[in-house]
């Protein structure tokens, strides 16, 4: 609510009558410097409100050329640090918890499987044609999500279940007691919007469709699964335990197939898990050392989840906001952890995820540049996500 000083909501919040204002936040640096200045303007309106137009000009303008960009961005960071220094107090975990073991970060680039690469390239060409012309932010977000899903697993789209197969399946569904009086055309319409994995699950649920179930090879056909298999094998040999995150609950469903296939014991928690059940699952994982993996959706990895009995974190796919991933990692790296924590991010090689990683690293570097001393190199200001996505697509 406070990141955009040009919004109507911001103007309303500025009218709050308070003698003093204090902001407490876990992520003091937002997406860019202008958003940070908006927060500072809210905290100290009597000092900055008369200069909002100048702040906007200073921190929203861009360099004209690539050569000018580096110097320009360093100057912007230096200006921002000078303005902010008297008003910001930052305490980091390493300063407060001296006894906490270190955390190591690793990135593993995963080559897509041959079939997955073909499908990704085909999808890329199709989406590129669809967004050429006037830019629409909603379309770009949609394109990004499609590419992210394909980079993680082909079954998050629909290509194996053709329209012809769906027609046959919709008629066979009439044999089921629950659908004997249903309209096959309506069943077909419902099936059309389902992914391959959802349709496979449907075929597993209804015996009349069992002939259309996907083969195990297709369920395991993912570049990340090849890397994950080796990674989990190495971790298990060392006697460590794993917390495995994904952004997508359906990806968690496919990961369950993968884990059962490789006979890894696991527990799963996502946004749909009841609050009362969560505590039981966490206690079970922390007490039963034979459970190798705790499977979590990234957004569900928030407050109150203590998984310090594991010391390996694997992010199957990353979030657009690096702070969501960092919060997820800290389910292991917190008070009570006795071992060094290893965090591994799986990134689809040559996919949109490489661009997402670049954005995330720049956001984190911006925070580091803004909150460390003046010595050392300054980082770059994060690129706009839409601009970076268009660059990735070659537009």
């Amino acid at each position: 609510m406070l990141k955009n000083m040009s919004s109507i909501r911001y103007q309303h919040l500025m009218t709050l009558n308070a003698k003093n204002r204090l902001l407490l936040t876990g992520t003091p640096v937002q997406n860019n410097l202008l958003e940070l200045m908006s927060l500072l303007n809210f905290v100290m309106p009597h000092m900055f409100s008369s200069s909002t137009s100048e702040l906007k000009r200073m921190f929203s303008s861009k360099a004209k050329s690539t050569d000018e960009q580096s110097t320009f961005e360093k100057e912007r960071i230096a200006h921002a640090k000078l303005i902010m220094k008297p008003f910001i107090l930052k305490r980091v975990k390493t300063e407060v918890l001296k006894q906490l073991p270190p955390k190591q970060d690793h990135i593993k680039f995963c080559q897509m499987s041959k079939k997955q690469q073909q499908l990704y390239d085909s999808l890329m060409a199709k989406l590129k044609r669809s967004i050429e012309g006037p830019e629409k932010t909603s379309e770009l977000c949609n394109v990004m999500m499609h590419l992210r899903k394909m980079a993680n697993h082909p079954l998050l789209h629909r290509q194996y279940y053709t329209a012809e197969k769906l027609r046959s399946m919709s008629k066979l569904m009439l044999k089921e007691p629950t659908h004997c009086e249903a309209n096959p055309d309506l069943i077909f319409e419902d099936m059309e919007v389902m992914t391959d994995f959802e349709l496979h699950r449907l075929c597993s649920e209804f015996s009349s469709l069992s002939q259309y179930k996907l083969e195990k090879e297709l369920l395991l056909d993912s570049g990340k699964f090849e890397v994950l298999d080796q990674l989990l094998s190495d971790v298990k040999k060392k006697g460590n335990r794993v917390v495995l995150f994904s952004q997508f609950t359906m990806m968690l469903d496919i990961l369950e197939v993968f884990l059962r296939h490789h006979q890894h014991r696991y527990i799963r928690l996502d946004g749909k898990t009841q609050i009362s059940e969560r505590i039981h699952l966490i206690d079970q994982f922390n007490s039963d050392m034979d459970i190798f993996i705790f499977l979590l959706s990234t957004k569900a990895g928030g407050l109150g989840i203590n998984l310090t009995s594991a010391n390996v974190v694997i992010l199957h796919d990353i979030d657009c906001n690096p702070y969501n991933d960092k919060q997820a990692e800290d389910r292991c790296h917190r008070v009570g952890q006795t071992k060094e924590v290893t965090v591994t991010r799986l990134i689809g090689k040559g996919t949109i995820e490489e661009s997402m990683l670049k954005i995330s690293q720049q956001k984190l570097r911006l925070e580091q540049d803004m909150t460390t001393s003046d010595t050392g190199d300054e980082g770059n200001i994060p690129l706009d996500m839409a601009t970076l996505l268009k660059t990735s697509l070659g537009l």
Side-chain angles (χ1 to χ4, degrees):
M1 296 182 185
L2 292 172
K3 292 193 291 185
N4 182 4
M5 68 172 73
S6 300
S7 69
I8 298 297
R9 179 176 284 178
Y10 186 90
Q11 301 306 321
H12 288 162
L13 288 169
M14 286 294 287
T15 63
L16 289 172
N17 186 17
K19 185 177 180 181
N20 298 296
R21 299 184 183 192
L22 169 69
L23 288 184
L24 295 178
T25 170
T27 53
V29 176
Q30 304 297 319
N31 291 326
N32 53 54
L33 291 176
L34 186 58
E35 290 184 358
L36 187 59
M37 288 301 123
S38 296
L39 299 183
L40 197 58
N41 181 49
F42 176 79
V43 177
M44 308 284 285
H46 62 282
M47 185 171 292
F48 294 103
S49 288
S50 60
S51 308
T52 51
S53 58
E54 179 63 19
L55 288 173
K56 288 179 186 177
R57 185 197 65 77
M58 187 186 301
F59 295 112
S60 62
S61 57
K62 296 180 182 288
K64 295 179 181 179
S65 67
T66 307
D67 293 336
E68 295 175 354
Q69 190 173 8
S70 179
T71 303
F72 175 74
E73 289 170 352
K74 286 181 180 180
E75 288 176 353
R76 291 211 300 178
I77 290 177
H79 285 150
K81 289 176 76 170
L82 192 63
I83 294 170
M84 287 169 47
K85 193 172 182 179
F87 312 113
I88 288 186
L89 173 68
K90 179 182 170 72
R91 296 299 301 277
V92 294
K93 188 182 293 185
T94 51
E95 294 173 351
V96 181
L97 302 174
K98 299 287 187 181
Q99 77 282 10
L100 196 65
K103 181 174 69 173
Q104 299 291 331
D105 287 285
H106 303 285
I107 296 170
K108 281 194 176 292
F109 291 97
C110 310
Q111 184 66 52
M112 289 184 285
S113 67
K114 186 176 180 181
K115 181 64 176 176
Q116 187 179 14
Q117 183 71 62
Q118 292 171 352
L119 292 170
Y120 187 90
D121 291 343
S122 176
L123 178 64
M124 174 80 89
K126 178 183 175 183
L127 294 175
K128 186 176 177 180
R129 289 193 299 270
S130 72
I131 65 169
E132 284 179 333
E135 179 182 331
K136 294 182 181 178
T137 305
S138 59
E139 283 188 11
L140 285 172
C141 291
N142 195 35
V143 164
M144 183 176 172
M145 184 56 71
H146 282 309
L147 291 173
R148 286 177 67 190
K149 288 180 176 180
M150 185 61 78
N152 281 293
H153 205 291
L155 297 189
L156 296 177
H157 286 272
R158 179 173 70 83
Q159 50 263 328
Y160 295 113
Y161 288 94
T162 62
E164 185 181 355
K165 277 186 181 180
L166 295 186
R167 284 289 181 194
S168 302
M169 289 165 61
S170 62
K171 292 174 182 176
L172 287 172
M173 280 293 289
L174 300 179
K175 294 181 179 180
E176 297 291 333
T178 53
H179 293 75
C180 57
E181 296 181 2
N183 184 334
D185 291 333
L186 295 180
I187 295 175
F188 173 77
E189 286 181 15
D190 288 342
M191 287 180 172
E192 266 195 316
V193 296
M194 297 171 75
T195 66
D196 277 336
F197 186 75
E198 287 175 308
L199 290 163
H200 166 76
R201 201 160 46 186
L202 195 70
C203 295
S204 301
E205 183 180 348
F206 295 103
S207 57
S208 59
L209 302 180
S210 59
Q211 60 182 303
Y212 289 102
K213 286 194 296 186
L214 295 175
E215 297 176 357
K216 183 62 70 69
E217 288 73 18
L218 289 178
L219 296 172
L220 302 176
D221 183 27
S222 158
K224 287 191 178 184
F225 278 5
E226 293 180 19
V227 175
L228 187 59
D229 183 23
Q230 184 60 51
L231 188 59
L232 291 177
S233 178
D234 293 342
V235 170
K236 205 170 196 176
K237 287 176 184 176
K238 294 176 182 176
N240 295 325
R241 302 171 79 210
V242 177
V243 179
L244 177 56
F245 289 99
S246 176
Q247 301 291 314
F248 312 104
T249 52
M250 195 178 299
M251 190 64 238
L252 293 179
D253 296 338
I254 304 175
L255 278 165
E256 286 194 77
V257 175
F258 169 84
L259 294 177
R260 286 195 296 268
H261 175 73
H262 291 286
Q263 299 181 334
H264 295 307
R265 282 193 67 194
Y266 68 91
I267 281 180
R268 170 174 170 168
L269 186 155
D270 59 41
K272 294 180 181 177
T273 307
Q274 296 295 321
I275 298 295
S276 56
E277 197 179 336
R278 291 186 179 197
I279 301 300
H280 171 70
L281 292 174
I282 294 165
D283 289 343
Q284 187 182 354
F285 181 75
N286 287 331
S287 59
D288 187 349
M289 295 299 137
D290 289 333
I291 301 173
F292 178 44
I293 294 171
F294 200 110
L295 204 55
L296 270 167
S297 57
T298 307
K299 297 292 176 64
L303 300 174
I305 296 181
N306 186 332
L307 298 170
T308 51
S309 60
N311 65 308
V312 174
V313 176
I314 300 175
L315 297 166
H316 181 274
D317 39 82
I318 60 174
D319 197 297
C320 291
N321 184 348
Y323 296 104
N324 287 337
D325 287 340
K326 285 174 73 68
Q327 185 186 54
E329 296 166 17
D330 289 342
R331 298 315 97 216
C332 287
H333 194 240
R334 61 185 300 171
V335 175
Q337 181 57 260
T338 57
K339 298 180 180 179
E340 180 176 305
V341 173
T342 302
V343 180
T344 302
R345 289 167 173 75
L346 304 184
I347 305 295
K349 191 173 183 180
T351 71
I352 188 67
E353 289 190 323
E354 288 192 352
S355 299
M356 290 174 61
L357 179 65
K358 183 178 179 181
I359 282 278
S360 297
Q361 290 173 333
Q362 288 177 326
K363 284 185 179 182
L364 294 173
R365 195 179 302 125
L366 175 64
E367 178 182 35
Q368 186 179 14
D369 288 342
M370 288 300 301
T371 55
T372 54
S373 62
D374 294 331
T375 57
D377 295 331
E378 306 290 7
N380 296 321
I381 302 300
L383 297 171
D384 175 75
M385 182 59 84
T387 303
L388 190 139
L389 178 56
K390 292 188 77 173
T391 304
S392 300
L393 292 169
L395 297 177

